[in-house]
Amino acid sequence: DGYTIKSQGGKTLITAANDAGLLYGAYHLLRLQQTGQSCEGLDIKEQPAYDLRILNHWDNPNGTVERGFAGKSIFLNPDPVRMKIYARANASIGINGTVLNNVNASPQALSTESLQKAKGIADQLRPYGIRVYLSINFASPIKLGGLKTADPLNAEVISWWKNKVNEIYRLIPDFGGFLVKANSEGEPGPQDFGRTHADGATMLAEVL
């Protein structure tokens, strides 16, 4: 996602290895222009210090926001105009990922209806180099899938997660991944089934 900006003889050239780098370079140049800085003799080279630069929203399915800005979640009924403003603002500072929902996740975040909405959001953010992520409830195989356990070493549980992940990637081919709050502040996790956090993380990493 790095880029270079060079100006000479009244011309400015932005180069990068990928589309995201070109976008970030363009925003950098616009920032210089709009803050009144000289764009003569530019010789800029930028490379991100981190590959993943992600926002973590605490938005709930009903549109409330546990922590963050005032008002309803912009993801509740994603308006294309607001999504574009959101995407442009984040891309302008190099953000390349966003977690759409609260870490105290509702199992409904993985329902087909919710995933269709996430797809719509992903489609609007993709042109700006932003991938979507989802917070998940570790007990989703029970609460959403009707299984008797969410034990990460149980074959039925593993199969349920594989099927759910396949559903996600069919809708969102560039899906970023899961954020999991497990066995913290009352949230379910692998320790509820006599397993370690490593067991839970390994299972989810394998199905992803």
mmCIF file of all heavy atoms in Angstrom, residues 19-20 24 51-52 54 95-100 115 117-134 165-178 208:
data_model
loop_
_atom_site.group_PDB
_atom_site.id
_atom_site.type_symbol
_atom_site.label_atom_id
_atom_site.label_comp_id
_atom_site.label_asym_id
_atom_site.label_seq_id
_atom_site.Cartn_x
_atom_site.Cartn_y
_atom_site.Cartn_z
ATOM 1 N N ASP A 19 -3.584 -0.627 -6.395
ATOM 2 C CA ASP A 19 -4.593 0.430 -6.469
ATOM 3 C C ASP A 19 -4.707 1.213 -5.167
ATOM 4 O O ASP A 19 -4.912 2.432 -5.175
ATOM 5 C CB ASP A 19 -5.953 -0.171 -6.831
ATOM 6 C CG ASP A 19 -6.005 -0.674 -8.263
ATOM 7 O OD1 ASP A 19 -5.103 -0.325 -9.052
ATOM 8 O OD2 ASP A 19 -6.951 -1.425 -8.593
ATOM 9 N N ALA A 20 -4.603 0.500 -4.039
ATOM 10 C CA ALA A 20 -4.723 1.184 -2.748
ATOM 11 C C ALA A 20 -3.621 2.215 -2.579
ATOM 12 O O ALA A 20 -3.853 3.330 -2.098
ATOM 13 C CB ALA A 20 -4.690 0.176 -1.607
ATOM 14 N N TYR A 24 -4.038 6.200 -1.843
ATOM 15 C CA TYR A 24 -3.448 6.901 -0.706
ATOM 16 C C TYR A 24 -2.517 8.014 -1.173
ATOM 17 O O TYR A 24 -2.454 9.085 -0.555
ATOM 18 C CB TYR A 24 -2.678 5.920 0.182
ATOM 19 C CG TYR A 24 -3.517 4.809 0.761
ATOM 20 C CD1 TYR A 24 -2.975 3.548 1.001
ATOM 21 C CD2 TYR A 24 -4.861 5.002 1.070
ATOM 22 C CE1 TYR A 24 -3.740 2.519 1.523
ATOM 23 C CE2 TYR A 24 -5.627 3.981 1.594
ATOM 24 C CZ TYR A 24 -5.063 2.742 1.817
ATOM 25 O OH TYR A 24 -5.820 1.716 2.329
ATOM 26 N N ASP A 51 0.250 -3.552 8.252
ATOM 27 C CA ASP A 51 -0.528 -4.065 7.117
ATOM 28 C C ASP A 51 -2.025 -3.875 7.340
ATOM 29 O O ASP A 51 -2.768 -3.596 6.396
ATOM 30 C CB ASP A 51 -0.235 -5.552 6.892
ATOM 31 C CG ASP A 51 1.173 -5.790 6.380
ATOM 32 O OD1 ASP A 51 1.757 -4.864 5.784
ATOM 33 O OD2 ASP A 51 1.699 -6.901 6.593
ATOM 34 N N LEU A 52 -2.465 -4.078 8.576
ATOM 35 C CA LEU A 52 -3.886 -3.986 8.904
ATOM 36 C C LEU A 52 -4.139 -2.718 9.704
ATOM 37 O O LEU A 52 -3.558 -2.511 10.772
ATOM 38 C CB LEU A 52 -4.337 -5.213 9.712
ATOM 39 C CG LEU A 52 -4.128 -6.566 9.032
ATOM 40 C CD1 LEU A 52 -4.563 -7.697 9.959
ATOM 41 C CD2 LEU A 52 -4.874 -6.643 7.715
ATOM 42 N N ILE A 54 -7.381 -1.010 11.035
ATOM 43 C CA ILE A 54 -8.801 -1.365 11.143
ATOM 44 C C ILE A 54 -9.518 -0.528 12.197
ATOM 45 O O ILE A 54 -9.008 -0.325 13.300
ATOM 46 C CB ILE A 54 -8.941 -2.862 11.503
ATOM 47 C CG1 ILE A 54 -8.208 -3.729 10.469
ATOM 48 C CG2 ILE A 54 -10.401 -3.270 11.579
ATOM 49 C CD1 ILE A 54 -8.187 -5.200 10.833
ATOM 50 N N ILE A 95 -7.004 3.919 6.290
ATOM 51 C CA ILE A 95 -7.762 2.830 6.911
ATOM 52 C C ILE A 95 -8.127 1.805 5.839
ATOM 53 O O ILE A 95 -8.629 2.152 4.782
ATOM 54 C CB ILE A 95 -9.048 3.355 7.583
ATOM 55 C CG1 ILE A 95 -8.697 4.326 8.723
ATOM 56 C CG2 ILE A 95 -9.915 2.205 8.091
ATOM 57 C CD1 ILE A 95 -7.960 3.692 9.871
ATOM 58 N N ASN A 96 -7.857 0.512 6.108
ATOM 59 C CA ASN A 96 -8.171 -0.510 5.101
ATOM 60 C C ASN A 96 -9.071 -1.634 5.615
ATOM 61 O O ASN A 96 -9.204 -2.671 4.972
ATOM 62 C CB ASN A 96 -6.898 -1.095 4.488
ATOM 63 C CG ASN A 96 -6.036 -1.858 5.491
ATOM 64 O OD1 ASN A 96 -6.378 -1.967 6.663
ATOM 65 N ND2 ASN A 96 -4.916 -2.374 5.018
ATOM 66 N N GLY A 97 -9.694 -1.423 6.779
ATOM 67 C CA GLY A 97 -10.619 -2.425 7.293
ATOM 68 C C GLY A 97 -11.551 -1.824 8.320
ATOM 69 O O GLY A 97 -11.214 -0.827 8.980
ATOM 70 N N THR A 98 -12.734 -2.426 8.463
ATOM 71 C CA THR A 98 -13.682 -1.952 9.466
ATOM 72 C C THR A 98 -14.495 -3.115 10.008
ATOM 73 O O THR A 98 -14.970 -3.964 9.248
ATOM 74 C CB THR A 98 -14.615 -0.859 8.889
ATOM 75 O OG1 THR A 98 -15.448 -0.350 9.930
ATOM 76 C CG2 THR A 98 -15.488 -1.388 7.761
ATOM 77 N N VAL A 99 -14.598 -3.186 11.336
ATOM 78 C CA VAL A 99 -15.431 -4.184 11.998
ATOM 79 C C VAL A 99 -16.807 -3.565 12.165
ATOM 80 O O VAL A 99 -16.953 -2.543 12.839
ATOM 81 C CB VAL A 99 -14.855 -4.585 13.370
ATOM 82 C CG1 VAL A 99 -15.688 -5.708 13.982
ATOM 83 C CG2 VAL A 99 -13.401 -5.016 13.242
ATOM 84 N N LEU A 100 -17.822 -4.175 11.573
ATOM 85 C CA LEU A 100 -19.125 -3.529 11.470
ATOM 86 C C LEU A 100 -19.950 -3.551 12.747
ATOM 87 O O LEU A 100 -20.890 -2.766 12.872
ATOM 88 C CB LEU A 100 -19.944 -4.198 10.351
ATOM 89 C CG LEU A 100 -19.333 -4.196 8.949
ATOM 90 C CD1 LEU A 100 -20.273 -4.876 7.966
ATOM 91 C CD2 LEU A 100 -19.009 -2.779 8.504
ATOM 92 N N LEU A 115 -25.853 -11.045 6.920
ATOM 93 C CA LEU A 115 -24.732 -11.190 5.996
ATOM 94 C C LEU A 115 -25.034 -10.529 4.657
ATOM 95 O O LEU A 115 -24.137 -9.979 3.999
ATOM 96 C CB LEU A 115 -24.392 -12.667 5.798
ATOM 97 C CG LEU A 115 -23.828 -13.387 7.031
ATOM 98 C CD1 LEU A 115 -23.552 -14.847 6.712
ATOM 99 C CD2 LEU A 115 -22.548 -12.705 7.519
ATOM 100 N N LYS A 117 -26.767 -7.833 4.339
ATOM 101 C CA LYS A 117 -26.545 -6.409 4.596
ATOM 102 C C LYS A 117 -25.053 -6.106 4.612
ATOM 103 O O LYS A 117 -24.601 -5.088 4.051
ATOM 104 C CB LYS A 117 -27.184 -5.998 5.915
ATOM 105 C CG LYS A 117 -27.011 -4.518 6.237
ATOM 106 C CD LYS A 117 -27.685 -4.129 7.534
ATOM 107 C CE LYS A 117 -29.193 -4.127 7.398
ATOM 108 N NZ LYS A 117 -29.855 -3.569 8.613
ATOM 109 N N ALA A 118 -24.272 -7.000 5.245
ATOM 110 C CA ALA A 118 -22.817 -6.812 5.277
ATOM 111 C C ALA A 118 -22.243 -6.827 3.863
ATOM 112 O O ALA A 118 -21.306 -6.087 3.562
ATOM 113 C CB ALA A 118 -22.172 -7.900 6.128
ATOM 114 N N LYS A 119 -22.808 -7.656 2.997
ATOM 115 C CA LYS A 119 -22.372 -7.696 1.602
ATOM 116 C C LYS A 119 -22.578 -6.342 0.929
ATOM 117 O O LYS A 119 -21.700 -5.838 0.218
ATOM 118 C CB LYS A 119 -23.132 -8.766 0.817
ATOM 119 C CG LYS A 119 -22.814 -8.790 -0.680
ATOM 120 C CD LYS A 119 -23.780 -9.645 -1.462
ATOM 121 C CE LYS A 119 -23.408 -9.721 -2.942
ATOM 122 N NZ LYS A 119 -23.290 -8.393 -3.590
ATOM 123 N N GLY A 120 -23.763 -5.754 1.162
ATOM 124 C CA GLY A 120 -24.050 -4.454 0.574
ATOM 125 C C GLY A 120 -23.071 -3.390 1.031
ATOM 126 O O GLY A 120 -22.633 -2.541 0.244
ATOM 127 N N ILE A 121 -22.717 -3.444 2.316
ATOM 128 C CA ILE A 121 -21.748 -2.485 2.853
ATOM 129 C C ILE A 121 -20.373 -2.738 2.246
ATOM 130 O O ILE A 121 -19.672 -1.808 1.832
ATOM 131 C CB ILE A 121 -21.701 -2.577 4.386
ATOM 132 C CG1 ILE A 121 -23.052 -2.162 4.985
ATOM 133 C CG2 ILE A 121 -20.579 -1.714 4.946
ATOM 134 C CD1 ILE A 121 -23.181 -2.428 6.467
ATOM 135 N N ALA A 122 -19.989 -4.019 2.178
ATOM 136 C CA ALA A 122 -18.681 -4.371 1.613
ATOM 137 C C ALA A 122 -18.559 -3.899 0.170
ATOM 138 O O ALA A 122 -17.509 -3.396 -0.253
ATOM 139 C CB ALA A 122 -18.471 -5.877 1.696
ATOM 140 N N ASP A 123 -19.636 -4.040 -0.581
ATOM 141 C CA ASP A 123 -19.622 -3.618 -1.984
ATOM 142 C C ASP A 123 -19.387 -2.115 -2.112
ATOM 143 O O ASP A 123 -18.739 -1.648 -3.063
ATOM 144 C CB ASP A 123 -20.941 -3.989 -2.666
ATOM 145 C CG ASP A 123 -21.104 -5.481 -2.878
ATOM 146 O OD1 ASP A 123 -20.098 -6.218 -2.757
ATOM 147 O OD2 ASP A 123 -22.242 -5.924 -3.155
ATOM 148 N N GLN A 124 -19.903 -1.346 -1.149
ATOM 149 C CA GLN A 124 -19.749 0.107 -1.203
ATOM 150 C C GLN A 124 -18.379 0.569 -0.707
ATOM 151 O O GLN A 124 -17.871 1.611 -1.145
ATOM 152 C CB GLN A 124 -20.852 0.771 -0.380
ATOM 153 C CG GLN A 124 -22.252 0.540 -0.950
ATOM 154 C CD GLN A 124 -23.334 1.177 -0.099
ATOM 155 O OE1 GLN A 124 -23.482 2.390 -0.084
ATOM 156 N NE2 GLN A 124 -24.085 0.355 0.611
ATOM 157 N N LEU A 125 -17.759 -0.210 0.185
ATOM 158 C CA LEU A 125 -16.459 0.180 0.736
ATOM 159 C C LEU A 125 -15.294 -0.321 -0.106
ATOM 160 O O LEU A 125 -14.200 0.258 -0.078
ATOM 161 C CB LEU A 125 -16.319 -0.346 2.170
ATOM 162 C CG LEU A 125 -17.363 0.125 3.187
ATOM 163 C CD1 LEU A 125 -17.015 -0.408 4.576
ATOM 164 C CD2 LEU A 125 -17.470 1.641 3.207
ATOM 165 N N ARG A 126 -15.510 -1.400 -0.851
ATOM 166 C CA ARG A 126 -14.433 -2.050 -1.610
ATOM 167 C C ARG A 126 -13.678 -1.098 -2.539
ATOM 168 O O ARG A 126 -12.435 -1.160 -2.601
ATOM 169 C CB ARG A 126 -15.006 -3.235 -2.391
ATOM 170 C CG ARG A 126 -13.944 -4.084 -3.088
ATOM 171 C CD ARG A 126 -14.552 -5.311 -3.721
ATOM 172 N NE ARG A 126 -15.122 -6.203 -2.704
ATOM 173 C CZ ARG A 126 -16.428 -6.435 -2.560
ATOM 174 N NH1 ARG A 126 -17.302 -5.831 -3.365
ATOM 175 N NH2 ARG A 126 -16.862 -7.252 -1.620
ATOM 176 N N PRO A 127 -14.353 -0.213 -3.296
ATOM 177 C CA PRO A 127 -13.610 0.672 -4.196
ATOM 178 C C PRO A 127 -12.601 1.582 -3.482
ATOM 179 O O PRO A 127 -11.705 2.131 -4.125
ATOM 180 C CB PRO A 127 -14.717 1.504 -4.859
ATOM 181 C CG PRO A 127 -15.940 0.644 -4.771
ATOM 182 C CD PRO A 127 -15.815 -0.056 -3.462
ATOM 183 N N TYR A 128 -12.745 1.713 -2.179
ATOM 184 C CA TYR A 128 -11.846 2.562 -1.405
ATOM 185 C C TYR A 128 -10.822 1.748 -0.617
ATOM 186 O O TYR A 128 -10.174 2.259 0.294
ATOM 187 C CB TYR A 128 -12.664 3.462 -0.475
ATOM 188 C CG TYR A 128 -13.524 4.426 -1.254
ATOM 189 C CD1 TYR A 128 -14.809 4.053 -1.667
ATOM 190 C CD2 TYR A 128 -13.045 5.674 -1.630
ATOM 191 C CE1 TYR A 128 -15.591 4.921 -2.423
ATOM 192 C CE2 TYR A 128 -13.820 6.544 -2.390
ATOM 193 C CZ TYR A 128 -15.082 6.156 -2.788
ATOM 194 O OH TYR A 128 -15.850 7.008 -3.539
ATOM 195 N N GLY A 129 -10.671 0.481 -0.972
ATOM 196 C CA GLY A 129 -9.653 -0.362 -0.354
ATOM 197 C C GLY A 129 -9.973 -0.798 1.057
ATOM 198 O O GLY A 129 -9.062 -1.168 1.807
ATOM 199 N N ILE A 130 -11.252 -0.788 1.432
ATOM 200 C CA ILE A 130 -11.658 -1.129 2.794
ATOM 201 C C ILE A 130 -12.373 -2.480 2.807
ATOM 202 O O ILE A 130 -13.362 -2.665 2.097
ATOM 203 C CB ILE A 130 -12.575 -0.047 3.392
ATOM 204 C CG1 ILE A 130 -11.845 1.303 3.405
ATOM 205 C CG2 ILE A 130 -13.032 -0.430 4.803
ATOM 206 C CD1 ILE A 130 -12.716 2.467 3.818
ATOM 207 N N ARG A 131 -11.874 -3.410 3.609
ATOM 208 C CA ARG A 131 -12.494 -4.726 3.759
ATOM 209 C C ARG A 131 -13.318 -4.749 5.041
ATOM 210 O O ARG A 131 -12.981 -4.083 6.025
ATOM 211 C CB ARG A 131 -11.422 -5.824 3.815
ATOM 212 C CG ARG A 131 -10.544 -5.872 2.581
ATOM 213 C CD ARG A 131 -9.323 -6.733 2.802
ATOM 214 N NE ARG A 131 -9.662 -8.147 2.881
ATOM 215 C CZ ARG A 131 -8.764 -9.103 3.141
ATOM 216 N NH1 ARG A 131 -7.501 -8.791 3.384
ATOM 217 N NH2 ARG A 131 -9.135 -10.371 3.174
ATOM 218 N N VAL A 132 -14.389 -5.523 5.034
ATOM 219 C CA VAL A 132 -15.233 -5.605 6.226
ATOM 220 C C VAL A 132 -14.870 -6.833 7.066
ATOM 221 O O VAL A 132 -14.470 -7.872 6.540
ATOM 222 C CB VAL A 132 -16.735 -5.628 5.881
ATOM 223 C CG1 VAL A 132 -17.132 -4.403 5.100
ATOM 224 C CG2 VAL A 132 -17.110 -6.883 5.125
ATOM 225 N N TYR A 133 -15.014 -6.665 8.364
ATOM 226 C CA TYR A 133 -14.822 -7.718 9.364
ATOM 227 C C TYR A 133 -16.092 -7.794 10.206
ATOM 228 O O TYR A 133 -16.862 -6.838 10.266
ATOM 229 C CB TYR A 133 -13.636 -7.394 10.276
ATOM 230 C CG TYR A 133 -12.280 -7.360 9.608
ATOM 231 C CD1 TYR A 133 -11.947 -6.332 8.726
ATOM 232 C CD2 TYR A 133 -11.315 -8.327 9.871
ATOM 233 C CE1 TYR A 133 -10.698 -6.289 8.109
ATOM 234 C CE2 TYR A 133 -10.067 -8.285 9.271
ATOM 235 C CZ TYR A 133 -9.770 -7.266 8.395
ATOM 236 O OH TYR A 133 -8.534 -7.224 7.787
ATOM 237 N N LEU A 134 -16.283 -8.915 10.901
ATOM 238 C CA LEU A 134 -17.446 -9.071 11.768
ATOM 239 C C LEU A 134 -17.023 -9.562 13.147
ATOM 240 O O LEU A 134 -16.183 -10.465 13.268
ATOM 241 C CB LEU A 134 -18.438 -10.078 11.169
ATOM 242 C CG LEU A 134 -19.185 -9.638 9.910
ATOM 243 C CD1 LEU A 134 -19.988 -10.815 9.358
ATOM 244 C CD2 LEU A 134 -20.106 -8.454 10.192
ATOM 245 N N VAL A 165 -18.688 -19.895 7.204
ATOM 246 C CA VAL A 165 -17.604 -19.147 6.564
ATOM 247 C C VAL A 165 -17.717 -19.230 5.042
ATOM 248 O O VAL A 165 -17.503 -18.245 4.335
ATOM 249 C CB VAL A 165 -16.235 -19.661 7.053
ATOM 250 C CG1 VAL A 165 -15.105 -19.151 6.162
ATOM 251 C CG2 VAL A 165 -16.003 -19.224 8.500
ATOM 252 N N ASN A 166 -18.074 -20.393 4.538
ATOM 253 C CA ASN A 166 -18.277 -20.531 3.083
ATOM 254 C C ASN A 166 -19.396 -19.611 2.598
ATOM 255 O O ASN A 166 -19.303 -19.011 1.519
ATOM 256 C CB ASN A 166 -18.599 -21.982 2.730
ATOM 257 C CG ASN A 166 -17.384 -22.885 2.820
ATOM 258 O OD1 ASN A 166 -16.244 -22.422 2.742
ATOM 259 N ND2 ASN A 166 -17.612 -24.175 2.982
ATOM 260 N N GLU A 167 -20.463 -19.524 3.401
ATOM 261 C CA GLU A 167 -21.568 -18.624 3.051
ATOM 262 C C GLU A 167 -21.077 -17.178 2.997
ATOM 263 O O GLU A 167 -21.431 -16.419 2.079
ATOM 264 C CB GLU A 167 -22.698 -18.756 4.073
ATOM 265 C CG GLU A 167 -23.889 -17.845 3.798
ATOM 266 C CD GLU A 167 -24.954 -17.907 4.881
ATOM 267 O OE1 GLU A 167 -24.777 -18.649 5.870
ATOM 268 O OE2 GLU A 167 -25.970 -17.196 4.741
ATOM 269 N N ILE A 168 -20.253 -16.794 3.966
ATOM 270 C CA ILE A 168 -19.739 -15.432 4.011
ATOM 271 C C ILE A 168 -18.896 -15.132 2.778
ATOM 272 O O ILE A 168 -19.075 -14.109 2.111
ATOM 273 C CB ILE A 168 -18.922 -15.199 5.296
ATOM 274 C CG1 ILE A 168 -19.828 -15.267 6.533
ATOM 275 C CG2 ILE A 168 -18.199 -13.844 5.236
ATOM 276 C CD1 ILE A 168 -19.076 -15.251 7.845
ATOM 277 N N TYR A 169 -17.972 -16.037 2.440
ATOM 278 C CA TYR A 169 -17.067 -15.773 1.325
ATOM 279 C C TYR A 169 -17.784 -15.809 -0.022
ATOM 280 O O TYR A 169 -17.321 -15.172 -0.981
ATOM 281 C CB TYR A 169 -15.893 -16.748 1.340
ATOM 282 C CG TYR A 169 -14.790 -16.328 2.288
ATOM 283 C CD1 TYR A 169 -14.490 -17.082 3.423
ATOM 284 C CD2 TYR A 169 -14.048 -15.173 2.045
ATOM 285 C CE1 TYR A 169 -13.484 -16.700 4.287
ATOM 286 C CE2 TYR A 169 -13.040 -14.779 2.908
ATOM 287 C CZ TYR A 169 -12.755 -15.546 4.023
ATOM 288 O OH TYR A 169 -11.758 -15.152 4.889
ATOM 289 N N ARG A 170 -18.886 -16.520 -0.095
ATOM 290 C CA ARG A 170 -19.666 -16.466 -1.341
ATOM 291 C C ARG A 170 -20.253 -15.071 -1.538
ATOM 292 O O ARG A 170 -20.369 -14.584 -2.672
ATOM 293 C CB ARG A 170 -20.786 -17.515 -1.319
ATOM 294 C CG ARG A 170 -20.320 -18.939 -1.602
ATOM 295 C CD ARG A 170 -21.494 -19.857 -1.909
ATOM 296 N NE ARG A 170 -22.416 -19.980 -0.791
ATOM 297 C CZ ARG A 170 -22.328 -20.898 0.150
ATOM 298 N NH1 ARG A 170 -21.336 -21.793 0.110
ATOM 299 N NH2 ARG A 170 -23.201 -20.956 1.141
ATOM 300 N N LEU A 171 -20.617 -14.429 -0.450
ATOM 301 C CA LEU A 171 -21.195 -13.092 -0.505
ATOM 302 C C LEU A 171 -20.133 -12.003 -0.551
ATOM 303 O O LEU A 171 -20.277 -10.997 -1.250
ATOM 304 C CB LEU A 171 -22.099 -12.855 0.712
ATOM 305 C CG LEU A 171 -23.366 -13.717 0.817
ATOM 306 C CD1 LEU A 171 -23.994 -13.566 2.200
ATOM 307 C CD2 LEU A 171 -24.362 -13.322 -0.264
ATOM 308 N N ILE A 172 -19.048 -12.212 0.220
ATOM 309 C CA ILE A 172 -18.007 -11.195 0.362
ATOM 310 C C ILE A 172 -16.657 -11.863 0.107
ATOM 311 O O ILE A 172 -15.983 -12.305 1.046
ATOM 312 C CB ILE A 172 -18.034 -10.569 1.780
ATOM 313 C CG1 ILE A 172 -19.455 -10.129 2.157
ATOM 314 C CG2 ILE A 172 -17.060 -9.389 1.862
ATOM 315 C CD1 ILE A 172 -19.598 -9.699 3.603
ATOM 316 N N PRO A 173 -16.226 -11.965 -1.137
ATOM 317 C CA PRO A 173 -14.992 -12.693 -1.460
ATOM 318 C C PRO A 173 -13.746 -12.153 -0.764
ATOM 319 O O PRO A 173 -12.803 -12.910 -0.523
ATOM 320 C CB PRO A 173 -14.884 -12.528 -2.988
ATOM 321 C CG PRO A 173 -16.276 -12.254 -3.444
ATOM 322 C CD PRO A 173 -16.907 -11.460 -2.345
ATOM 323 N N ASP A 174 -13.734 -10.862 -0.439
ATOM 324 C CA ASP A 174 -12.570 -10.266 0.218
ATOM 325 C C ASP A 174 -12.828 -10.026 1.708
ATOM 326 O O ASP A 174 -12.222 -9.138 2.318
ATOM 327 C CB ASP A 174 -12.184 -8.956 -0.464
ATOM 328 C CG ASP A 174 -13.326 -7.936 -0.493
ATOM 329 O OD1 ASP A 174 -14.475 -8.315 -0.188
ATOM 330 O OD2 ASP A 174 -13.073 -6.765 -0.827
ATOM 331 N N PHE A 175 -13.698 -10.833 2.298
ATOM 332 C CA PHE A 175 -14.010 -10.721 3.733
ATOM 333 C C PHE A 175 -12.717 -10.730 4.550
ATOM 334 O O PHE A 175 -11.818 -11.534 4.326
ATOM 335 C CB PHE A 175 -14.907 -11.876 4.146
ATOM 336 C CG PHE A 175 -15.246 -11.913 5.617
ATOM 337 C CD1 PHE A 175 -16.003 -10.910 6.191
ATOM 338 C CD2 PHE A 175 -14.812 -12.957 6.423
ATOM 339 C CE1 PHE A 175 -16.329 -10.934 7.542
ATOM 340 C CE2 PHE A 175 -15.138 -12.997 7.773
ATOM 341 C CZ PHE A 175 -15.888 -11.988 8.335
ATOM 342 N N GLY A 176 -12.633 -9.804 5.528
ATOM 343 C CA GLY A 176 -11.404 -9.667 6.304
ATOM 344 C C GLY A 176 -11.210 -10.719 7.374
ATOM 345 O O GLY A 176 -10.103 -11.229 7.575
ATOM 346 N N GLY A 177 -12.288 -11.084 8.100
ATOM 347 C CA GLY A 177 -12.155 -12.068 9.167
ATOM 348 C C GLY A 177 -13.039 -11.739 10.354
ATOM 349 O O GLY A 177 -13.897 -10.852 10.294
ATOM 350 N N PHE A 178 -12.796 -12.461 11.452
ATOM 351 C CA PHE A 178 -13.611 -12.331 12.660
ATOM 352 C C PHE A 178 -12.867 -11.613 13.772
ATOM 353 O O PHE A 178 -11.656 -11.768 13.937
ATOM 354 C CB PHE A 178 -14.008 -13.712 13.191
ATOM 355 C CG PHE A 178 -14.929 -14.490 12.304
ATOM 356 C CD1 PHE A 178 -14.751 -15.862 12.139
ATOM 357 C CD2 PHE A 178 -15.979 -13.880 11.640
ATOM 358 C CE1 PHE A 178 -15.610 -16.599 11.330
ATOM 359 C CE2 PHE A 178 -16.833 -14.601 10.829
ATOM 360 C CZ PHE A 178 -16.647 -15.971 10.677
ATOM 361 N N LEU A 208 -11.398 -20.313 8.505
ATOM 362 C CA LEU A 208 -11.265 -19.119 7.675
ATOM 363 C C LEU A 208 -10.244 -19.332 6.565
ATOM 364 O O LEU A 208 -10.288 -18.709 5.533
ATOM 365 C CB LEU A 208 -10.844 -17.899 8.516
ATOM 366 C CG LEU A 208 -11.946 -17.265 9.354
ATOM 367 C CD1 LEU A 208 -11.360 -16.306 10.377
ATOM 368 C CD2 LEU A 208 -12.915 -16.493 8.454
#
